[in-house]
Amino acid sequence: MAEEQRVTVGLPDRGYEVRIGEDILREVGPEAAARRLGPHCAILTDENVETLHLDVVVESLQSAGIVTHVVVLPPGEGTKSFAHLEGALRTLVRSGLDRHGFVVALGGGVIGDLGGLVAALFYRGIPCVQVPTTVVAQVDSSVGGKTAIDIPEGKNLVGAFLQPAFVLADTRTLQTLPPRAWAEGFAEIIKHAAIRDPEMLDTVDALEDRNDLVALIARNVAIKARVVEEDELETSGVRAYLNFGHTIGHAIETAAGEGTLLHGEAVSLGMRAELFLSERKCGLPAASTTRVLSSLRRFDLPVVLEAGLDDEAILATMARDKKFEGGQMRFVLLSALGAPQIHREVSLADVRDALAVLREPCGV
Ligand SMILES: NC(=O)c1ccc[n+]([C@@H]2O[C@H](COP(=O)([O-])OP(=O)(O)OC[C@H]3O[C@@H](n4cnc5c(N)ncnc54)[C@H](O)[C@@H]3O)[C@@H](O)[C@H]2O)c1
Ligand SMILES: [Zn+2]
């Protein structure tokens, strides 16, 4: 019997279970049937995941007596668009799915975000099962109920909250991830460690290959679950701690231009900059910065900003970022590893200094 762990997301009336295990894709059918999610479903996936993992999921649902319809979308962030949202919704109607059906989002965060929104909108809302197949999706996007598409004015600006009916994370699916996609997921894991669980950095450093991931993924799901339980709709500020490294990281990602840096790579850079700000503003010991940087380097994540990107482009992007409240910059900074706080007294000069530090060799 392969190892499996379960994490419960305890929300009033909307609580659900996240199953994390090796080789558990075929559990999706029995689990959906046991929960009586409906007699038919639409599996949303992308072309890459279709080739690798779709068959097992279809077979599992059909063996459980559930009729399946499959919608295959192109891979990539471009799929989180109004055009693909409309296309998917109309395909579901034409396939005969109705309000007794449910959605299975099989893929990375792109499919999870779009599939969740399709489920939230179809017949004013049907259940959604998340079957995440990337590190990012397993430790972050599949848990918490945020769904979204992008518009030209910005990413994730149109969406809804829809907590999934259950989440099934099969760590075996991560074996097929390309190296950069694998590594970028660890930027979010290292972020979780920095804000909530510093000892996890040792676990991450000790990882030798892609086996025995169940405990590590479950530990991250639990971190995300606790944050979501405390602040489901991001109103109290606790959920905002997950944005550590993202204020500057997201600006770098956008300023670098579509397809240059992966999200996790930009967050890695953002974390170095925000660790520096944490030292300056909150007294984070320099040794803590070094500790985090060493884990990032272990996954070949970038920690030095390339020469091509100038400060003004990054600052202009930051000024447009939705993380700004009333014109004030809002940062998640650490007074110690595991001790985040929201900080509003970061000046433009501080950010410029952080970017200057980011251009220096890191020496770790
Ligand atoms: N809702 C949230 O709370 C939340 C949190 C974090 C990120 N996100 C969103 O998630 C998206 C990023 O997710 P992502 O990093 O998973 O990217 P992704 O979904 O684009 O997947 C990355 C690439 O890996 C491929 N892939 C997926 N699973 C694979 C597998 N098992 N083997 C081989 N290839 C596979 C995909 O086809 C794609 O090309 C962004 O749109 C981001 O906004 C949402
Ligand atoms: Zn992120």
Side-chain angles (χ1 to χ4, degrees):
M1 181 73 187
E3 189 193 356
E4 182 178 328
Q5 292 195 19
R6 294 176 189 230
V7 175
T8 301
V9 184
L11 293 169
D13 306 327
R14 297 176 300 286
Y16 53 97
E17 207 163 61
V18 184
R19 292 178 63 173
I20 305 108
E22 184 138 354
D23 222 2
I24 58 167
L25 267 192
R26 58 179 58 84
E27 294 297 316
V28 63
E31 186 80 46
R35 291 173 187 277
R36 299 180 189 283
L37 291 189
H40 51 179
C41 72
I43 305 168
L44 262 65
T45 192
D46 73 22
E47 286 155 11
N48 296 332
V49 182
E50 175 196 22
T51 319
L52 296 162
H53 305 295
L54 178 66
D55 288 352
V56 179
V57 172
V58 169
E59 205 180 290
S60 160
L61 286 154
Q62 289 180 349
S63 305
I66 296 164
V67 177
T68 56
H69 310 278
V70 176
V71 182
V72 181
L73 296 152
E77 185 71 25
T79 294
K80 282 173 58 173
S81 68
F82 265 116
H84 286 291
L85 174 66
E86 179 185 354
L89 287 166
R90 293 178 62 187
T91 304
L92 297 204
V93 174
R94 285 199 302 271
S95 71
L97 204 77
D98 61 18
R99 64 191 175 83
H100 303 295
F102 63 98
V103 168
V104 177
L106 171 69
V110 163
I111 290 299
D113 277 13
L114 181 81
L117 188 56
V118 165
L121 295 173
F122 190 75
Y123 280 79
R124 299 189 188 84
I126 60 173
C128 183
V129 173
Q130 292 282 352
V131 187
T133 63
T134 64
V135 178
V136 170
Q138 295 196 353
V139 303
D140 192 353
S141 59
S142 65
V143 177
K146 279 191 184 177
T147 77
I149 54 168
D150 307 328
I151 53 175
E153 287 72 15
K155 283 190 178 181
N156 296 324
L157 293 185
V158 175
F161 279 99
L162 177 75
Q163 297 297 342
F166 67 90
V167 182
L168 202 141
D170 183 343
T171 54
R172 180 75 58 86
T173 62
L174 305 178
Q175 301 274 3
T176 54
L177 278 180
R180 274 178 82 190
W182 162 256
E184 76 154 330
F186 278 81
E188 304 289 359
I189 288 181
I190 292 164
K191 175 197 77 180
H192 279 161
I195 61 169
R196 281 268 166 139
D197 186 358
E199 291 82 38
M200 191 163 62
L201 293 172
D202 297 334
T203 313
V204 161
D205 285 0
L207 210 66
E208 283 188 353
D209 53 29
R210 298 190 189 186
N211 293 313
D212 300 326
L213 293 168
V214 173
L216 179 65
I217 299 288
R219 191 166 171 177
N220 280 275
V221 169
I223 291 172
K224 177 87 192 252
R226 297 298 87 84
V227 170
V228 169
E229 285 167 0
E230 283 175 54
D231 184 16
E232 183 186 5
L233 305 177
E234 201 168 333
T235 42
S236 77
V238 172
R239 192 160 179 170
Y241 294 158
L242 296 170
N243 289 331
F244 176 63
H246 281 62
T247 307
I248 292 179
H250 190 238
I252 291 173
E253 183 182 2
T254 309
E258 198 70 47
T260 313
L261 283 170
L262 296 179
H263 173 74
E265 294 169 345
V267 168
S268 175
L269 291 162
M271 279 196 276
R272 183 179 179 201
E274 294 178 22
L275 285 163
F276 164 79
L277 291 175
S278 299
E279 285 183 33
R280 177 179 278 185
K281 296 287 182 183
C282 302
L284 179 75
S288 300
T289 297
T290 308
R291 179 69 197 84
V292 176
L293 292 181
S294 129
S295 288
L296 292 170
R297 290 303 303 137
R298 215 182 159 297
F299 284 85
D300 282 329
L301 287 160
V303 290
V304 179
L305 195 58
E306 299 283 328
L309 250 182
D310 71 60
D311 287 5
E312 297 320 308
I314 297 168
L315 292 168
T317 315
M318 280 181 69
R320 287 194 302 269
D321 194 299
K322 66 182 159 111
K323 286 178 199 73
F324 278 67
E325 266 178 359
Q328 254 199 330
M329 286 188 261
R330 193 184 61 159
F331 279 89
V332 178
L333 300 181
L334 310 173
S335 55
L337 293 182
Q341 52 183 262
I342 306 285
H343 216 279
R344 292 191 165 78
E345 275 100 51
V346 176
S347 70
L348 198 61
D350 291 324
V351 179
R352 284 188 199 279
D353 290 347
L355 293 176
V357 167
L358 207 45
R359 294 183 193 284
E360 292 166 9
C362 115
V364 173

